[in-house]
Amino acid sequence: MPQKHMNRRARAVFNIGDSVIYENQGVYPVREITKSPVDKTDDRLFYVLVPLHEAACNVIVTPVAGQRVRAVITKERANEIIGKIPELLPLTVENERNRRDVYKSALGGLNLEDYVRIIKTVCARREELAKVKKRISETDADYEKRAKHGLYSEFAVVFDIPITEVEQMIADRICDAV
């Protein structure tokens, strides 16, 4: 019995002009939905994404059927996360050698509550190290920066305000809750 040819083309969930979250890199408007710009034999559809808040970043081309893109959260969900900030606990890092893995795992889940937890963890660590006149590691600084960018850029879109206003609105709440 002959096998039917399976069309690998997936239906696009997002439309041109929609803002989406790409991996843990922030907000990207969908500029185009197209066939592969690289492989003309590939019949899959791809999103062409342009960075919203970082003009220096490259354009992203990712398969429509991939798992790397999600919708921007709702305003209600953003307010819910803000309300939960005091009760969200910092991440637990049992072994310093695993710190990067713990941060990477938390960031990779695309869960904004985990982004808050990363920021709270680094805030607590910064305060702890300041007491002995030490600075946070590059790992802490890097993942804090990534978590803040992901959180603040998404909230900026949700609340339709500049990232700087989001930062002012959220930063104190996070570090005060440590």
Side-chain angles (χ1 to χ4, degrees):
M1 183 174 221
Q3 284 188 326
K4 290 184 179 178
H5 172 68
M6 297 298 289
N7 185 351
R8 297 184 322 168
R9 184 179 275 196
R11 173 178 256 154
V13 175
F14 303 104
N15 297 310
I16 294 171
D18 288 350
S19 290
V20 299
I21 303 302
Y22 175 73
E23 291 185 334
N24 57 15
Q25 298 181 30
V27 180
Y28 286 76
V30 177
R31 175 186 283 169
E32 187 178 349
I33 301 170
T34 186
K35 286 188 173 184
S36 173
V38 178
D39 182 358
K40 300 302 179 198
T41 64
D42 190 345
D43 67 345
R44 295 179 298 167
L45 289 176
F46 289 78
Y47 292 120
V48 177
L49 309 174
V50 292
L52 181 63
H53 293 111
E54 293 190 28
C57 289
N58 294 327
V59 171
I60 303 291
V61 179
T62 188
V64 164
Q67 303 295 317
R68 296 177 159 185
V69 177
R70 71 163 169 81
V72 173
I73 63 172
T74 64
K75 190 178 282 191
E76 292 76 24
R77 178 71 178 125
N79 282 319
E80 181 182 314
I81 292 168
I82 291 168
K84 283 184 169 181
I85 288 174
E87 65 194 52
L88 292 173
L89 298 174
L91 298 171
T92 302
V93 179
E94 300 291 333
N95 181 337
E96 281 303 311
R97 291 182 184 168
N98 297 335
R99 182 169 295 280
R100 180 179 302 277
D101 293 335
V102 170
Y103 288 161
K104 186 176 181 179
S105 177
L107 202 59
L110 301 179
N111 180 341
L112 294 180
E113 291 173 358
D114 286 340
Y115 291 16
V116 170
R117 295 180 71 211
I118 291 170
I119 298 165
K120 286 179 98 170
T121 302
V122 176
C123 281
R125 225 168 122 70
R126 185 178 283 114
E127 289 176 12
E128 184 181 304
L129 291 171
K131 291 175 187 173
V132 292
K133 300 198 186 318
K134 291 187 178 182
R135 296 171 35 181
I136 61 171
S137 69
E138 286 184 33
T139 298
D140 287 317
D142 179 44
Y143 279 91
E144 178 187 42
K145 180 180 176 182
R146 291 181 194 192
K148 283 181 175 181
H149 174 71
L151 183 70
Y152 298 166
S153 65
E154 189 161 359
F155 278 8
V157 168
V158 169
F159 293 116
D160 194 26
I161 59 176
I163 287 180
T164 53
E165 286 184 36
V166 174
E167 188 171 2
Q168 292 169 353
M169 177 176 75
I170 302 296
D172 291 338
R173 291 179 189 202
I174 290 175
C175 287
D176 287 347
V178 173

